[in-house]
Amino acid sequence: MTALARRRLGRGGVEVTELSFGGAGIGNLYAPISDARAATALDHAWNAGIRYFDTAPHYGLGLSERRLGEALRGRDRSSYVLSTKVGRLLEPVGEVSGDDLADGGFAVPVTHRRVWDFSADGVRRSLEASLRRLGTDRVDVVFLHDPDHHEEAAFREGYPALEKLRSEGVVGAIGAGMNQAEMLTRFVRDTDVDAVLCAGRYTLLDHGALPELLPAAEERGVSVVIGGVFNSGLLAAPEPGARFDYTEAPPGLLRRAQRLRALAERHGTTLRAAALAFPFGHPAVAGVLVGIREPNQVLDAAREFAADVPACFWREARAEGLLPAGAPVPGGTGEARP
């Protein structure tokens, strides 16, 4: 088994492995996978040393939480970190029909409907339901999930509810998880969150978190977990038809990703290794979260995470305008990990 380094979330006591398992894929994101394949993927993650697992009720209408809970059952609860999210309650529908692909992007039967709820009562009800699906008595981290169109409710009711849960010792760390950097910056500046989960906004292709979110997090002692380091797949395999932010990548971004891939190969590394390493250039980053659905993806992520990305790659990427001049690179000299 590989040992992965751990980093603390904020000023609290929760520590996560630098490489973590994102649970959307095992919730049948885009296409179904079997229970057996999901379980094998999670076993591979455990054997690779991953000890931080993230999920949400949204992922497959609870399927991701159920599968994750089943895979972790029987393992030493003190040896891993588990996070889930609040903000969407799952309410049973009268009649099961169709699938969730059009509305949620998950290949599961529509057994429930999602109801936005960032109230204090909604936060507690959501967490209680998640614990039942996970089959555990506690989670370590809870994030407010995608409060983009519910900003005031999230700050007025949702966040104070999480702060109360933390003060009661129900959870160890709290934060918010979003696909944008602007509101996460407000959480960092105006609340006492331990961490934020920023998906897709600090990658080789998108540096939206660099001007404000990351400096604010560093100043306040808040940790940032970076999700979506492959930008929905474009930085994993930049071929025509690849996704960027859940839809087909525009031609200009595809060409940029292909240039980065060619540059990586010239320097004896891979685009995937560079994408996984890049966020660690900033001291506020505690880890990267990789969405995984297949066993082979775990093996690939672990191998690429451990690969060296030479200093010459970062220097040339800057020289060619593929990285902003002000973007810090891992180690400051191009090392694979600070």
Side-chain angles (χ1 to χ4, degrees):
M1 182 185 70
T2 305
L4 289 171
R6 298 188 184 220
R7 298 193 185 195
R8 181 173 297 180
L9 294 183
R11 296 174 296 277
V14 177
E15 292 186 344
V16 298
T17 48
E18 290 183 333
L19 179 64
S20 54
F21 187 107
I26 61 168
N28 287 5
L29 182 63
Y30 304 133
I33 62 168
S34 68
D35 289 344
R37 289 192 71 76
T40 301
L42 285 159
D43 282 343
H44 283 9
W46 188 272
N47 292 336
I50 292 173
R51 294 295 183 269
Y52 175 30
F53 302 87
D54 175 75
T55 184
H58 171 56
Y59 302 157
L61 296 172
L63 178 62
S64 174
E65 288 183 320
R66 291 192 296 273
R67 283 175 164 171
L68 182 56
E70 182 63 31
L72 293 174
R73 197 159 297 132
R75 301 188 189 274
D76 178 4
R77 183 62 188 86
S78 66
S79 67
Y80 64 88
V81 168
L82 186 60
S83 65
T84 192
K85 307 182 184 75
V86 295
R88 292 176 176 94
L89 290 173
L90 301 181
E91 294 189 351
V93 298
E95 183 178 344
V96 177
S97 62
D99 62 46
D100 183 54
L101 281 168
D103 291 335
F106 295 90
V108 295
V110 180
T111 57
H112 293 73
R113 68 186 184 99
R114 300 173 179 88
V115 179
W116 290 102
D117 193 335
F118 288 95
S119 69
D121 178 66
V123 165
R124 285 190 176 267
R125 288 169 56 203
S126 180
L127 181 55
E128 289 167 1
S130 288
L131 292 175
R132 288 195 296 271
R133 286 187 292 268
L134 287 161
T136 186
D137 61 353
R138 65 182 173 89
V139 294
D140 304 283
V141 189
V142 179
F143 295 110
L144 296 167
H145 197 187
D146 294 339
D148 302 69
H149 304 297
H150 307 270
E151 183 170 1
E152 293 315 309
F155 279 90
R156 185 179 61 252
E157 295 191 58
Y159 169 74
L162 287 189
E163 195 172 63
K164 190 169 189 296
L165 288 169
R166 184 179 61 186
S167 70
E168 295 169 349
V170 176
V171 299
I174 59 174
M178 304 182 72
N179 292 288
Q180 57 150 293
E182 292 76 15
M183 198 185 301
L184 290 181
T185 304
R186 181 183 171 191
F187 275 107
V188 168
R189 288 175 173 163
D190 296 350
T191 73
D192 189 33
V193 292
D194 300 286
V196 293
L197 171 52
C198 181
R201 303 287 75 86
Y202 195 57
T203 73
L204 286 174
L205 290 174
D206 190 316
H207 314 110
L210 183 59
E212 295 190 24
L213 174 59
L214 290 169
E218 183 181 9
E219 179 183 350
R220 296 270 297 169
V222 174
S223 295
V224 182
V225 177
I226 301 296
V229 290
F230 298 137
N231 283 126
S232 297
L234 182 57
L235 285 170
E239 304 296 342
R243 288 187 176 96
F244 176 86
D245 276 6
Y246 310 108
T247 60
E248 185 170 340
L253 273 179
L254 175 61
R255 289 192 294 272
R256 190 178 183 90
Q258 290 172 333
R259 288 178 62 196
L260 282 162
R261 178 176 63 181
L263 178 62
E265 291 173 353
R266 283 204 305 273
H267 291 291
T269 189
T270 68
L271 179 60
R272 296 191 304 285
L276 286 163
F278 171 70
F280 288 96
H282 201 285
V285 173
V288 294
L289 187 151
V290 179
I292 290 167
R293 57 182 283 114
E294 297 282 352
N296 66 310
Q297 291 176 331
V298 179
L299 301 175
D300 181 79
R303 180 179 61 250
E304 299 298 331
F305 183 78
D308 179 57
V309 181
C312 50
F313 168 81
W314 304 114
R315 285 197 299 269
E316 194 167 340
R318 278 178 170 159
E320 292 190 11
L322 294 171
L323 286 179
V329 296
T333 57
E335 298 168 8
R337 209 70 61 221

Coordinates of all heavy atoms in Angstrom, one line a residue, residues 6 54 56 75 96 102 109 130 142 150 153 161 187 245 248 250 259 266 280 326 333:
R6 N -0.5 13.8 4.2 CA -1.8 14.4 4.7 C -1.6 15.8 5.0 O -0.5 16.2 5.4 CB -2.3 13.6 5.9 CG -2.6 12.2 5.7 CD -3.4 11.6 6.9 NE -3.6 10.1 6.7 CZ -4.7 9.5 7.1 NH1 -5.7 10.2 7.6 NH2 -4.8 8.2 6.9
D54 N -15.1 11.9 -0.7 CA -16.1 13.0 -0.7 C -17.3 12.5 -1.5 O -17.2 11.9 -2.6 CB -15.5 14.2 -1.4 CG -16.5 15.3 -1.6 OD1 -16.9 16.0 -0.5 OD2 -17.0 15.5 -2.7
A56 N -22.0 13.3 -1.9 CA -23.1 14.3 -1.7 C -24.4 13.6 -2.0 O -24.5 12.6 -2.8 CB -22.9 15.5 -2.6
R75 N -14.1 -0.9 7.9 CA -12.7 -0.3 8.0 C -12.6 0.5 9.2 O -13.7 1.1 9.7 CB -12.4 0.5 6.7 CG -12.5 -0.4 5.4 CD -12.0 0.4 4.2 NE -12.2 -0.3 3.0 CZ -11.4 -1.2 2.4 NH1 -10.3 -1.5 3.1 NH2 -11.7 -1.7 1.2
V96 N -41.8 6.0 -9.5 CA -40.5 5.9 -10.0 C -40.6 5.9 -11.6 O -41.4 5.0 -12.1 CB -39.7 4.7 -9.5 CG1 -38.3 4.7 -10.2 CG2 -39.6 4.8 -8.0
A102 N -31.3 13.9 -17.7 CA -31.6 15.3 -18.2 C -31.5 16.3 -17.0 O -31.0 17.4 -17.2 CB -32.9 15.3 -18.8
P109 N -32.6 5.7 -11.8 CA -34.1 6.0 -11.8 C -34.4 7.2 -10.9 O -33.8 7.4 -9.9 CB -34.7 4.7 -11.2 CG -33.6 3.7 -11.3 CD -32.3 4.4 -11.2
S130 N -28.1 11.7 5.2 CA -26.8 11.2 4.6 C -26.2 10.2 5.5 O -25.6 9.2 5.1 CB -25.8 12.4 4.5 OG -26.2 13.2 3.4
V142 N -18.5 18.7 6.4 CA -19.7 19.0 5.7 C -19.6 20.3 5.0 O -19.1 21.3 5.5 CB -20.9 19.1 6.7 CG1 -22.2 19.4 5.9 CG2 -21.1 17.8 7.5
H150 N -28.7 30.8 -3.9 CA -29.3 30.8 -2.6 C -28.3 31.4 -1.6 O -28.2 31.0 -0.5 CB -29.6 29.4 -2.2 CG -30.5 28.6 -3.2 ND1 -31.8 28.6 -3.1 CD2 -30.1 27.9 -4.2 CE1 -32.3 27.9 -4.1 NE2 -31.3 27.4 -4.8
A153 N -29.6 32.9 1.9 CA -30.0 31.8 2.8 C -28.8 31.0 3.3 O -28.8 30.6 4.5 CB -31.0 30.9 2.0
A161 N -25.8 27.1 10.9 CA -26.2 25.7 11.3 C -25.0 24.8 11.3 O -24.8 24.0 12.2 CB -27.3 25.2 10.4
F187 N -17.2 33.4 1.5 CA -17.1 32.4 2.7 C -15.8 32.5 3.4 O -15.8 32.5 4.7 CB -17.4 31.0 2.2 CG -18.8 30.6 2.0 CD1 -19.4 30.5 0.8 CD2 -19.6 30.4 3.1 CE1 -20.7 30.1 0.6 CE2 -21.0 30.1 3.0 CZ -21.5 29.9 1.7
D245 N -16.0 21.5 -18.1 CA -17.1 22.0 -17.3 C -18.4 21.3 -17.7 O -19.4 22.0 -17.9 CB -17.2 23.5 -17.3 CG -16.3 24.1 -16.3 OD1 -15.5 23.4 -15.7 OD2 -16.3 25.4 -16.2
E248 N -19.2 19.9 -24.0 CA -18.1 19.7 -25.0 C -17.2 21.0 -25.0 O -17.7 22.1 -25.0 CB -18.7 19.5 -26.4 CG -17.6 19.2 -27.4 CD -18.2 18.7 -28.8 OE1 -19.4 18.3 -28.8 OE2 -17.5 18.8 -29.8
P250 N -14.9 24.0 -26.0 CA -14.7 24.8 -27.2 C -13.4 24.6 -27.9 O -12.4 24.2 -27.3 CB -14.7 26.3 -26.6 CG -15.2 26.1 -25.2 CD -14.9 24.7 -24.7
R259 N -1.7 21.7 -26.7 CA -0.4 22.3 -26.6 C 0.3 22.0 -25.2 O 1.4 21.6 -25.2 CB -0.5 23.8 -26.7 CG -0.8 24.4 -28.1 CD -0.9 25.9 -28.1 NE 0.4 26.5 -27.7 CZ 0.4 27.8 -27.3 NH1 -0.6 28.5 -27.3 NH2 1.6 28.3 -27.0
R266 N 7.1 16.5 -24.3 CA 8.5 16.9 -24.7 C 9.4 16.9 -23.4 O 10.6 16.7 -23.6 CB 8.5 18.3 -25.3 CG 8.0 18.4 -26.7 CD 8.6 19.6 -27.4 NE 8.3 20.9 -26.8 CZ 7.2 21.6 -26.9 NH1 6.2 21.1 -27.7 NH2 7.0 22.7 -26.3
F280 N -0.8 22.4 -6.3 CA 0.0 22.4 -5.1 C 1.1 23.5 -5.1 O 1.8 23.7 -4.1 CB 0.7 21.0 -4.9 CG -0.3 20.0 -4.5 CD1 -0.9 19.1 -5.4 CD2 -0.6 19.8 -3.1 CE1 -1.8 18.2 -5.0 CE2 -1.5 18.8 -2.7 CZ -2.1 18.0 -3.7
G326 N 2.0 35.1 -12.9 CA 1.9 35.1 -11.4 C 1.4 33.8 -10.8 O 1.3 33.8 -9.6
T333 N 10.2 25.5 -8.0 CA 11.2 25.2 -8.9 C 10.8 24.1 -9.9 O 11.6 23.5 -10.6 CB 12.5 24.8 -8.2 OG1 12.2 23.6 -7.4 CG2 13.1 25.9 -7.4

